[in-house]
Amino acid sequence: MSDHTEIDAVSGTSTTGHEWDGIKELNTPLPRWWLLTFYATIIWAVGYWVVYPAWPMISGYTSGVLGYSSRASVAVDLANLEKLRGAKMAVLATIPVGDIEKDPALLALARARGKAAFGDNCAPCHGTGAAGAKGFPNLNDDDWLWGGKIEQIMQTIEFGARSGHAKAHEGNMLAFGKDGVLKPDEIVTVANYVRSLSGLPTRQGYDKAKGEKIFADNCAACHGADGKGNQELGAPNLTDKIWLYGSDEATVIETITNGRGGVMPSWASRLDAPTIKALAVYVHSLGGGK
Amino acid sequence: MNKLTRPSELEKATEAPLYAARKQVYPQSVSGTFRSIKWRLMAVCLGIYYLLPFVRWDRGIGAPNQAVLIDLPNRRFYFFFIELWPQEVYYFTGLLILASLSLFLMNALGGRIWCGYLCPQTVWTDLYYAVERLIEGDRRERMRKAAKAADGGVTLQRMYEVTAKHSIWLMIAWWTGGAWVLYFDDAPTLVRELLTFQAPVLAYIWIGILTFTTYVLAGFMREQVCVYMCPWPRIQAALTDEWALNVTYKYDRGEKRTSLKKAAELRALGERVGDCVDCRQCIAVCPTGIDIRNGPQLDCIQCGLCIDACDSVMEKIGRPNRLIGYDNDINIQRRMAGQPEIYRPVRPRTIAYVALIAGVGAVMLYALLTRHLLDVNVLHDRNPVAVRLSDGAVRNAYTVRLLNKHSTERTVTVGVDGIPGLKVHVIGNDSNGSDRPSVVIGKDQTEELRVLLTAEPDIRLDASSPVIFRITDVGSGEIATARDNFVTP
């Protein structure tokens, strides 16, 4: 004990020797059960160190006699979850993709699973809400290069476009300028003609007849005589309001000069079939589906 | 060494133990007004707790017919005619507010009525004491037996008593835990499952936990829960005022304390003596083992048993009763000054509490009676907020959650007001050709829809225009609405 031992006159209890603003702390003993509980927690803590991973070491940590690891525990949880979902996922695996939307429960399941898979795999290019970006299609709108039916969407996800997969969509916008097919002034003329197809303003005094002629000779093969595109070839509709790379004159000129050929990867080798189905349902339900 | 400290005191101080052993309390049995009030309240409280799960309430086919049921798997709470959904937990907030205000009011009127008569800790401890008394005898016998046992005098009789007491305690504890789980599942079914060992493991675990806590808290911790663990005495001390009636030793009447014989002698000499004969009955019956004559204190749960004990003594010695009674300091001071007693149950504090209780209760009742059994929540897509379609039309997407709190399946139509000519499209719905697609919601279910609204290119719109989703029950015509906005890119 310290030298400060003194007895409080009122309570007859010794003080601890600590004093604040004239108030002295009484050395009141703790209740026994409280003290025992306190000791029990200390013993518990020591036991915990032994049983579970606890102490950081120089290159690692004490792993505990149980060999517990939170990572393994998550893996077990995930495996259990898959087992739990097994029956429903089995249905998703076998049902034709077009029929999923007819069953509200399956639709909810596919949308939830699809949304998660979309966030993991598709969002880097198409955005978390699938709003797309320049060169990466907005999946919420109704303009589809390769078709917006649920089966078509699934095919695009599965095999991709220009992905190198044998079943991938193929079709390139040629580089008419770079390859010397069209002269720069012809490109300007046809660019203005193309803009006029979707009602955009054209440069003053451009030769419409000449533009129409250039278009018919060079572009109509893929984009159609009326410019409405061809989903077989992934040729965009040039008469609508949606432009993947932008609709201003300079961008259209650049497109015609250098061509375009965005790549959609094939997901067949990376995602399992039910997930691809779920993704197709999710993308279709975003609103763009036909 | 401090020279001012005397050696004997120093010795006592340095030998102060690291812990304080608990002083076992042996409350004596007592009878009287407050004891009988306590018996009755105990019967009512325990009766409600043990029997309520068995009360039936017809809610139709497919719905549980238990009057009070917390259905966790389906996330529903049933209380007689009320069915609450998780998003309505604010009713519980309201109930908690009402409970606190009621405690405040009780406290302003009669002190710790809750602690002394209604608190589960008090009720079960009291029940446990009754069992103990029944088997081991009253205070003196129990003290004698405990002392004998401590000296190593273990007899067959003692072993029988201890075993019997703990068995009955455990049975009460087990039944307490058992009643608890009955609130979470159909009671008669669960009882049958429990008896045939087919109930969910979780039920057994919870019964185990509550058996253990009841047994420990009511059998061993007892008054220590009130003294060391419970926050209410501390809060109560801050809430009380000089008008509240508390169990009080009327020292104006009791002092000086002395024996009956001595008092008579002193009175004959014309000296002033009190009614208290220092018989210590108030201490003997106290379940927390305190001396009420030391004034109001934290350990006092104000159960009023000391009043009964004191009254019986006062009767025997021919003095007026209620030397200990519900009283307050104001009246002690007034009596000492020769003024008449006054009591003020109606005062600003109690009026305020009653008004608040009435107000909160009225708001809750209004909310309960006017709540919708058909409801809709709408969430606008944030990314992208709006989509330009190929023909120049604008489309917004929403997540619409429909709630059907009826016990029947319903067909509703999804319509939109605010902007004329908006097209409504529900993903995965067959009736999209019509103006207002119809949707079926299962009984007691929620349905989440993805709804697309499209404005044709020729409609002129502001950057953001309000729209109102109007969900109409085809059968009853009941309508639920939700506001949101239609945004242009």
Side-chain angles (χ1 to χ4, degrees):
Chain A
M1 296 299 274
S2 69
D3 289 353
H4 298 286
T5 309
E6 70 171 289
I7 302 297
D8 173 59
V10 177
S11 62
T13 313
S14 64
T15 71
T16 60
H18 301 156
E19 182 179 332
W20 295 270
D21 299 335
I23 299 170
K24 288 172 182 166
E25 186 186 38
L26 294 182
N27 191 12
T28 311
L30 295 164
R32 174 161 53 189
W33 65 266
W34 195 100
L35 202 70
L36 292 178
T37 311
F38 180 57
Y39 290 154
T41 59
I42 294 174
I43 293 166
W44 176 269
V46 173
Y48 206 94
W49 296 339
V50 174
V51 172
Y52 283 103
W55 287 96
M57 309 300 272
I58 291 164
S59 60
Y61 56 91
T62 58
S63 58
V65 294
L66 281 189
Y68 170 86
S69 112
S70 54
R71 195 183 174 85
S73 155
V74 169
V76 169
D77 284 353
L78 284 178
N80 286 339
L81 197 64
E82 282 305 315
K83 215 183 286 173
L84 206 68
R85 288 176 177 164
K88 280 183 174 176
M89 292 311 289
V91 176
L92 205 59
T94 51
I95 192 172
V97 68
D99 293 345
I100 293 174
E101 288 190 354
K102 289 174 191 159
D103 180 339
L106 269 184
L107 174 61
L109 173 76
R111 279 190 59 208
R113 178 132 185 150
K115 187 173 186 178
F118 190 92
D120 288 347
N121 300 288
C122 317
C125 293
H126 290 285
T128 48
K134 182 176 176 178
F136 301 98
N138 181 349
L139 305 177
N140 293 275
D141 67 27
D142 61 343
D143 196 20
W144 294 86
L145 292 173
W146 307 97
K149 290 197 182 70
I150 195 163
E151 292 85 358
Q152 293 171 318
I153 292 172
M154 184 164 139
Q155 196 198 346
T156 306
I157 297 170
E158 209 169 354
F159 306 120
R162 310 175 191 100
S163 64
H165 192 283
K167 292 186 188 171
H169 294 305
E170 293 297 345
N172 277 300
M173 170 73 190
L174 303 173
F176 288 92
K178 211 165 71 181
D179 296 348
V181 180
L182 293 175
K183 294 186 193 74
D185 64 310
E186 289 174 321
I187 291 173
V188 171
T189 307
V190 78
N192 274 282
Y193 174 73
V194 166
R195 273 165 58 79
S196 76
L197 289 176
S198 61
L200 293 166
T202 50
R203 195 185 277 199
Q204 280 222 322
Y206 100 97
D207 189 340
K208 183 172 184 247
K210 193 180 165 198
E212 202 172 345
K213 170 93 175 44
I214 297 167
F215 187 86
D217 290 348
N218 298 283
C219 316
C222 292
H223 290 283
D226 52 5
K228 290 212 165 145
N230 182 351
Q231 289 182 347
E232 289 291 309
L233 302 164
N237 183 347
L238 302 176
T239 65
D240 66 20
K241 308 280 188 236
I242 295 168
W243 295 77
L244 184 54
Y245 293 91
S247 62
D248 58 289
E249 192 191 49
T251 304
V252 177
I253 288 170
E254 196 205 325
T255 302
I256 300 169
T257 307
N258 296 321
R260 300 285 185 189
V263 173
M264 163 80 179
S266 156
W267 296 92
S269 58
R270 304 183 218 193
L271 299 174
D272 58 30
T275 305
I276 289 176
K277 253 182 208 175
L279 267 174
V281 171
Y282 172 70
V283 170
H284 190 249
S285 76
L286 287 173
K290 298 256 172 117
Chain B
M1 193 136 304
N2 194 328
K3 280 168 189 161
L4 291 173
T5 313
R6 279 173 295 169
S8 63
E9 282 179 344
L10 184 65
E11 195 178 317
K12 185 182 157 201
T14 47
E15 282 177 5
L18 193 53
Y19 61 83
R22 178 192 175 205
K23 252 177 33 200
Q24 185 72 35
V25 182
Y26 299 92
Q28 190 174 316
S29 71
V30 65
S31 59
T33 318
F34 294 97
R35 181 64 262 183
S36 65
I37 292 174
K38 268 175 80 78
W39 284 132
R40 282 175 199 154
L41 283 175
M42 186 204 278
V44 171
C45 292
L46 293 178
I48 291 173
Y49 177 74
Y50 290 123
L51 299 179
L52 194 53
F54 295 97
V55 178
R56 303 287 95 185
W57 194 267
D58 186 19
R59 292 196 181 82
I61 301 156
N65 57 352
Q66 185 157 325
V68 179
L69 178 69
I70 301 155
D71 189 356
L72 287 180
N74 298 312
R75 292 172 182 81
R76 298 283 181 272
F77 174 66
Y78 301 94
F79 187 84
F80 295 94
F81 64 96
I82 304 168
E83 176 189 336
L84 293 182
W85 285 36
Q87 58 269 48
E88 294 168 321
V89 284
Y90 52 78
Y91 285 110
F92 289 98
T93 314
L95 281 180
L96 286 176
I97 293 171
L98 279 183
S100 328
L101 288 171
S102 305
L103 268 182
F104 296 171
L105 179 63
M106 276 154 83
N107 196 55
L109 292 173
R112 281 157 67 178
I113 295 173
W114 170 260
C115 296
Y117 301 93
L118 297 169
C119 173
Q121 176 64 22
T122 289
V123 170
W124 264 281
T125 303
D126 218 18
L127 181 64
Y128 270 44
Y129 269 135
V131 171
E132 189 170 73
R133 205 172 284 131
L134 196 71
I135 293 169
E136 296 185 358
D138 209 352
R139 175 179 161 89
R140 284 166 193 283
E141 276 178 83
R142 294 208 305 277
M143 287 171 87
R144 185 172 49 77
K145 285 172 181 168
K148 207 171 146 196
D151 286 343
V154 180
T155 61
L156 215 58
Q157 169 72 8
R158 176 71 187 166
M159 276 167 68
Y160 157 75
E161 281 181 4
V162 170
T163 314
K165 178 178 83 175
H166 286 280
S167 306
I168 297 177
W169 278 1
L170 278 169
M171 272 167 62
I172 295 171
W174 176 80
W175 190 235
T176 304
W180 176 264
V181 300
L182 296 184
Y183 285 91
F184 294 85
D185 206 341
D186 184 57
T189 315
L190 190 58
V191 167
R192 203 179 315 123
E193 287 175 352
L194 283 168
L195 291 177
T196 54
F197 299 102
Q198 285 168 349
V201 179
L202 205 59
Y204 292 106
I205 292 174
W206 273 105
I207 292 176
I209 291 172
L210 280 135
T211 304
F212 176 76
T213 51
T214 308
Y215 180 61
V216 170
L217 291 184
F220 300 94
M221 299 291 286
R222 297 176 170 182
E223 81 284 350
Q224 298 180 93
V225 174
C226 314
V227 178
Y228 295 114
M229 294 164 72
C230 181
W232 180 231
R234 283 89 184 158
I235 299 167
Q236 187 263 357
L239 282 169
T240 198
D241 65 2
E242 69 275 24
W243 290 103
L245 292 174
N246 283 310
V247 174
T248 310
Y249 166 64
K250 298 172 184 169
Y251 57 87
D252 58 310
R253 226 191 91 186
E255 300 296 322
K256 286 184 339 206
R257 322 168 187 169
T258 182
S259 74
L260 200 53
K261 211 168 137 192
K262 195 100 176 275
E265 285 168 15
L266 287 171
R267 261 201 205 94
L269 294 170
E271 274 192 52
R272 189 194 138 68
V273 283
D275 283 344
C276 178
V277 293
D278 215 5
C279 65
R280 300 178 68 81
Q281 280 301 296
C282 51
I283 305 172
V285 300
C286 179
T288 63
I290 56 158
D291 187 347
I292 188 66
R293 296 173 300 173
N294 292 342
Q297 49 209 289
L298 184 145
D299 314 28
C300 176
I301 59 168
Q302 300 197 1
C303 58
L305 294 183
C306 49
I307 305 179
D308 286 343
C310 191
D311 279 358
S312 69
V313 172
M314 288 299 117
E315 205 173 313
K316 269 179 215 153
I317 65 169
R319 304 294 300 174
N321 64 9
R322 298 295 143 87
L323 171 57
I324 302 172
Y326 276 92
D327 200 9
N328 57 32
D329 234 28
I330 287 183
N331 278 324
I332 292 182
Q333 302 305 333
R334 287 181 69 89
R335 283 195 301 268
M336 284 167 81
Q339 295 165 315
E341 296 179 356
I342 46 166
Y343 293 100
R344 251 187 223 162
V346 181
R347 52 186 198 272
R349 181 188 283 257
T350 54
I351 293 170
Y353 290 150
V354 170
L356 278 171
I357 289 172
V360 174
V363 168
M364 280 178 67
L365 198 65
Y366 176 79
L368 194 65
L369 294 178
T370 57
R371 74 196 179 120
H372 296 290
L373 295 179
L374 176 69
D375 214 346
V376 54
N377 299 319
V378 176
L379 188 69
H380 193 292
D381 265 20
R382 285 156 188 270
N383 177 16
V385 286
V387 177
R388 175 79 69 189
L389 298 186
S390 53
D391 61 357
V394 179
R395 193 169 64 197
N396 282 201
Y398 305 81
T399 302
V400 175
R401 185 180 278 275
L402 301 175
L403 297 87
N404 175 17
K405 298 179 196 171
H406 273 289
S407 53
T408 51
E409 187 180 87
R410 307 216 272 186
T411 304
V412 299
T413 58
V414 181
V416 175
D417 298 338
I419 301 171
L422 277 189
K423 279 196 181 135
V424 184
H425 180 93
V426 179
I427 297 288
N429 195 289
D430 294 337
S431 57
N432 277 318
S434 75
D435 204 19
R436 293 170 167 258
S438 67
V439 178
V440 177
I441 331 174
K443 63 174 183 187
D444 209 35
Q445 291 285 323
T446 61
E447 192 74 46
E448 194 181 277
L449 308 175
R450 187 170 166 79
V451 176
L452 311 174
L453 300 184
T454 310
E456 293 301 306
D458 49 353
I459 301 180
R460 288 186 62 84
L461 288 170
D462 296 332
S464 175
S465 326
V467 288
I468 298 160
F469 284 81
R470 184 182 292 275
I471 310 301
T472 315
D473 182 354
V474 175
S476 69
E478 192 179 343
I479 288 170
T481 57
R483 287 180 68 91
D484 211 301
N485 287 298
F486 189 90
V487 182
T488 51

